Amino acid sequence: MPRLAIAFFCSGFAALLCQIVWQRMLGIFAGSDTISAALVVGAFLAGLGFGSILGAKLADRLSPFHALLGFAAAEAGVAVFALVSKLFLYDFLATDLAGIVDSPVAIFALCFAGLVLPTTLMGASLPLLARAVAENLETVAERIGSLYGLNTLGAGLGALLGGWLLVGHLGFVGALALAAGLDVLAALLALTLLPGLSRRPPPPPARQATAQAEPFGSLRLWCLLVFLSGYIIVAMEIVWVRLMGQIGQYHAYLFPTVLGVFLLADGAGIAVASRMVRRMRDPRPAFFLTQAGGFVLGAALILLLVWALPHWPINQFVSADVLRLRDGGLVATVLLTLAVVGPPSFLIGMTFPFVQRAVQQDLASVGARVGWVQLFNILGNAAGSILTGLVTFHLIGTAGTLRLLAALSLLLMLGWLWKAGRGRRPEIALAAACALALVALPGNAALWSRLHAEKPGQLVAWSEDRSGIAFFRDDNQPGAGPHGPFFIQGFSQGRIPFLPIHQFLGAVGPLLHPDPKRVLCIGIGSGGTPWAAGVSPATQSVRAIELVGPVLTAHAQIAARYPGSPIAEMVANPRWALEYGDGRRALARGEELYDVIQADAILPEGSHSGLLYSAEFLQQVRARLAPGGIYVQWGPSRRVVATFAAVFPHSLLLMPGSVLIGSDSPIPYDPARLAQAFAQPAVAAHLARGNRDFADYAALFAQPALAWAPGSARPEALLTDVFPRDEFYLNNGVRHTQALRQPEDLLEQ
């Protein structure tokens, strides 16, 4: 058992490390929107489910010797795939098929094809290992629970250490190599135990009456129960990601933190309950108490968190109006995640050994029962992930999703109370608590207003769907039009009136280009960049693509409230086409060429921002520029600037605004002429509609520009799809561009 425990721990650690990387690689192919993410998760879980079926069918036909040999072979197979997975998942799918495959069915099929082999082997490993350790009915549930608990603890550490340390230091390929090494270690540890195992085939299944063979309910009933349990816990996990993402501001470390805390607490619950099951006469009450208790505790902690956010001391660190990516804000987010996610995950984790105690009644069918229970738990996980991410968030929002989970938990408790009869006071109390959660949980409007620090009397414009949350908090200044911060996924990078840097990013390209007929904006945000992109009368169309759909809904609400505002004009004027979608996929999919392409400013530390700063993305942009076309983006870090200069033959960095301009042709940059262009009455009037309090756009390029021409010494492209260093900013310190004075400064990177 000690060696098997270490082996299964390493297996869990490696599996989560692989999952983190594979999801990022497939996200490049499938897209960064929520629908594509759900397709990738669905493909991953489908493979695990297929492996569970295979393990269930195969395990009980094998001797302990051959079952453990099968486990070792499965781990070795996962290791091989981890080493070669980049060739298929990234080089073929994300690169060669970019823009070719667009159908969700085809995307799912290709993701499944890319993951089916390793995930099948992962899914089959637990039934095989269960067959190998099953010696008598007294200890089988405890052993299976202990091993699965250690596997889950390993997975939790894999998520935390992988997300916080390993991926940021090693990159995606290096992290996969480490995962492969851990899988090989697990296989070798298992092989060392083979000489002591029996090669005798298992006895045939006992022929007993059903009531005697299954005193705690049929296997089918428990499969239904673990399906519902799996649905609830994964749906809760997705709710936690959304809530903590808003509170902590989405970054590369947030999802691994929520997932790691969830898995570590879940594994600890499994480990504790595994020591309890041998003494249990009837595991059913424990299952229902921990299942419903986990949800009730989770709902209560969410209510407490929402109430506490505006109050001291929490508001000093995670206020909606402060940056929370570092220092006290980051520490507070991690501590809040531990407090909100950990306790309910621990309780629900305890259900796994209780289920094993209920279903394991025959040594001859141990592997099959583990496999079938695992399959239905995975199916519940998949349903919880896909239905929550794609359906319930979209139709009833986060608060409605919590109420739905309260209703499901209440139904589970009522079903048990109906079966168990009277005298179940703890169960009655938990059923009442689930019913109370249905009415006590706040609605969506109240939830997001509190998280975005809305004050009494303020007007707001907000929306939520499966792609995220947008929230505009209007200060209601009389006669001033819309005025306040614009939040997207917890960030308040944009404001109305528009920030000068956003308007400069939008205007500088059309003012430099001699004939900017067609302009493409990657990102809409608060609206400043696409609004300023229409500054030139020569521009016939401004196409702007936004990844978070509620941004467009919030803009429509602002336009209805302020019909004379720039946002109202963009919504109503056919010259602007504002659309929801993935900008990177749009570049890969279409064929239209643009005179100017520009990206709205996003922090390089934001989650998935690396997809818009990588060398591969910049190559996509180059391919969609018309002859003489130019690309404009913010250059917040030295790595961003170095990667940009490495890709575009002609590159400029305008200082002190840190704005990058790139082209395949010489860029017609004359600072005096550009300053005159910004000073033209029509240009100044257009930008003043976006922000009447700022007019000195020439100050944003007053310093000498840094320039790279085809013959210049080139820096190395430091940001790539498979190693977005700035996104993992705690591992790779982000150096900003303000101190750059010469192009050669980047050669020192």
Side-chain angles (χ1 to χ4, degrees):
M1 284 296 289
R3 274 178 281 178
L4 282 184
I6 296 172
F8 215 31
F9 179 90
C10 292
S11 174
F13 191 107
L16 259 292
L17 198 53
C18 287
Q19 181 183 352
I20 290 172
V21 175
W22 290 341
Q23 284 189 246
R24 288 296 300 260
M25 285 183 174
L26 285 172
I28 299 168
F29 159 67
S32 298
D33 62 314
T34 309
I35 297 175
S36 300
L39 293 175
V40 173
V41 171
F44 192 94
L45 291 172
L48 291 178
F50 185 72
S52 297
I53 297 174
L54 183 64
K57 294 289 188 182
L58 183 64
D60 291 324
R61 301 178 183 179
L62 301 175
S63 67
F65 177 93
H66 290 101
L68 193 59
L69 185 62
F71 169 79
E75 293 301 312
V78 175
V80 170
F81 189 87
L83 292 174
V84 303
S85 58
K86 176 179 176 290
L87 298 175
F88 184 80
L89 300 183
Y90 180 77
D91 295 345
F92 177 64
L93 291 184
T95 302
D96 295 344
L97 294 187
I100 297 175
V101 179
D102 194 40
S103 164
V105 175
I107 289 173
F108 175 85
L110 286 168
C111 291
F112 179 74
L115 295 175
V116 64
L117 177 59
T119 53
T120 295
L121 295 175
M122 290 176 182
S125 62
L126 181 60
L128 290 170
L129 201 58
R131 175 70 266 167
V133 302
E135 293 181 349
N136 62 71
L137 282 176
E138 293 297 321
T139 61
V140 65
E142 179 181 350
R143 283 190 163 196
I144 294 170
S146 297
L147 286 173
Y148 189 64
L150 283 167
N151 181 259
T152 306
L153 288 171
L157 279 179
L160 284 176
L161 293 181
W164 281 81
L165 182 65
L166 299 175
V167 175
H169 278 300
L170 302 176
F172 295 169
V173 176
L176 288 174
L178 176 60
L182 291 172
D183 281 318
V184 169
L185 176 60
L188 292 175
L189 284 171
L191 290 176
T192 64
L193 294 170
L194 289 179
L197 291 182
S198 170
R199 300 192 183 205
R200 183 179 301 172
R207 296 184 178 274
Q208 296 174 317
T210 303
Q212 294 176 331
E214 297 179 327
F216 306 124
S218 68
L219 178 62
R220 291 182 179 180
L221 173 62
W222 282 104
C223 285
L224 174 62
L225 292 174
V226 297
F227 175 89
L228 293 173
S229 174
Y231 181 100
I232 291 170
I233 188 57
V234 170
M236 283 292 292
E237 180 195 350
I238 296 175
V239 168
W240 287 326
V241 170
R242 175 155 286 194
L243 286 174
M244 300 315 300
Q246 297 296 313
I247 293 168
Q249 297 180 316
Y250 283 95
H251 49 74
Y253 304 100
L254 188 133
F255 177 70
T257 301
V258 176
L259 182 59
V261 170
F262 163 64
L263 289 171
L264 284 173
D266 190 66
I270 294 172
V272 170
S274 295
R275 296 181 176 274
M276 300 166 57
V277 291
R278 194 188 300 188
R279 300 187 300 272
M280 279 187 175
R281 295 181 60 186
D282 186 349
R284 292 175 295 177
F287 170 82
F288 286 100
L289 286 171
T290 50
Q291 174 64 44
F295 171 76
V296 168
L297 181 57
L301 289 171
I302 287 173
L303 279 170
L304 180 62
L305 174 66
V306 172
W307 172 83
L309 280 174
H311 300 295
W312 187 90
I314 294 179
N315 64 353
Q316 302 298 304
F317 300 103
V318 293
S319 168
D321 297 297
V322 301
L323 198 64
R324 285 99 72 190
L325 297 178
R326 291 180 173 84
D327 304 324
L330 183 62
V331 172
T333 301
V334 172
L335 293 177
L336 289 173
T337 302
L338 283 169
V340 172
V341 176
S345 299
F346 176 87
L347 279 180
I348 296 180
M350 296 179 75
T351 60
F352 179 84
F354 301 150
V355 173
Q356 292 302 317
R357 175 69 178 85
V359 302
Q360 297 298 347
Q361 301 300 322
D362 186 354
L363 280 178
S365 61
V366 166
R369 287 174 175 266
V370 168
W372 286 112
V373 168
Q374 180 179 250
L375 170 64
F376 277 85
N377 185 252
I378 289 171
L379 291 176
N381 294 161
S385 172
I386 294 172
L387 291 180
T388 301
L390 299 187
V391 180
T392 64
F393 273 173
H394 200 67
L395 298 179
I396 57 178
T398 301
T401 298
L402 281 170
R403 289 197 174 105
L404 174 63
L405 299 180
L408 289 175
S409 299
L410 177 60
L411 286 174
L412 276 172
M413 291 306 301
L414 292 177
W416 167 239
L417 287 170
W418 176 77
K419 173 69 175 177
R422 299 178 181 179
R424 299 281 181 175
R425 291 184 180 180
E427 288 94 326
I428 293 172
L430 281 175
C434 292
L436 180 62
L438 282 171
V439 295
L441 288 165
N444 291 308
L447 175 66
W448 300 124
S449 293
R450 197 163 182 88
L451 263 62
H452 292 91
E454 178 188 347
K455 297 178 177 61
Q458 287 183 321
L459 297 175
V460 297
W462 71 277
S463 181
E464 176 188 9
D465 70 7
R466 57 188 164 221
S467 64
I469 298 108
F471 195 99
F472 172 63
R473 197 180 68 215
D474 199 334
D475 294 335
N476 309 336
Q477 295 188 2
H483 193 286
F486 197 103
F487 299 90
I488 304 174
Q489 304 291 62
F491 281 98
S492 59
Q493 295 183 76
R495 291 188 66 86
I496 305 175
F498 306 133
L499 294 174
I501 186 61
H502 288 172
Q503 292 218 109
F504 183 72
L505 281 167
V508 67
L511 293 179
L512 279 177
H513 196 284
D515 191 21
K517 288 187 174 65
R518 295 175 300 278
V519 178
L520 173 66
C521 294
I522 307 297
I524 295 174
S526 60
T529 301
W531 167 253
V535 70
S536 171
T539 300
Q540 298 173 357
S541 65
V542 178
R543 181 189 180 195
I545 304 173
E546 173 57 50
L547 186 64
V548 181
V551 168
L552 303 181
T553 306
H555 279 307
Q557 295 172 8
I558 296 169
R561 190 177 301 155
Y562 299 100
S565 66
I567 289 177
E569 182 167 345
M570 284 194 293
V571 169
N573 192 331
R575 189 174 175 228
W576 281 270
L578 309 181
E579 61 185 76
Y580 160 62
D582 186 321
R584 181 157 175 166
R585 280 187 63 80
L587 284 173
R589 184 169 58 242
E591 297 181 356
E592 183 180 0
L593 300 181
Y594 296 92
D595 302 303
V596 178
I597 300 177
Q598 50 206 24
D600 198 18
I602 59 171
L603 289 175
E605 299 93 339
S607 180
H608 289 80
S609 62
L611 295 178
L612 297 182
Y613 285 122
S614 70
E616 293 85 353
F617 168 71
L618 297 177
Q619 294 287 1
Q620 283 184 304
V621 170
R622 280 187 65 186
R624 297 297 298 277
L625 287 174
I630 60 176
Y631 174 59
V632 181
Q633 76 169 34
W634 187 36
S637 79
R638 292 194 174 202
R639 292 192 189 97
V640 169
V641 175
T643 304
F644 192 95
V647 171
F648 283 97
H650 298 271
S651 303
L652 289 174
L653 175 63
L654 306 188
M655 298 292 283
S658 299
V659 171
L660 287 159
I661 302 172
S663 179
D664 287 338
S665 306
I667 301 169
Y669 176 67
D670 181 335
R673 290 182 58 187
L674 183 60
Q676 291 175 359
F678 272 102
Q680 292 176 6
V683 171
H686 184 90
L687 297 178
R689 287 188 64 190
N691 187 334
R692 64 186 181 186
D693 296 325
F694 185 87
D696 190 12
Y697 289 95
L700 298 178
F701 56 94
Q703 297 176 6
L706 279 68
W708 292 265
S712 303
R714 295 278 165 176
E716 179 187 357
L718 297 175
L719 300 176
T720 65
D721 283 344
V722 296
F723 204 163
R725 289 174 173 85
D726 279 0
E727 194 176 324
F728 293 91
Y729 57 95
L730 296 178
N731 309 95
N732 307 276
V734 177
R735 299 174 63 194
H736 297 283
T737 57
Q738 279 74 11
L740 286 176
R741 291 293 179 265
Q742 299 294 331
E744 293 77 14
D745 292 345
L746 289 178
L747 299 177
E748 301 173 3
Q749 290 277 6

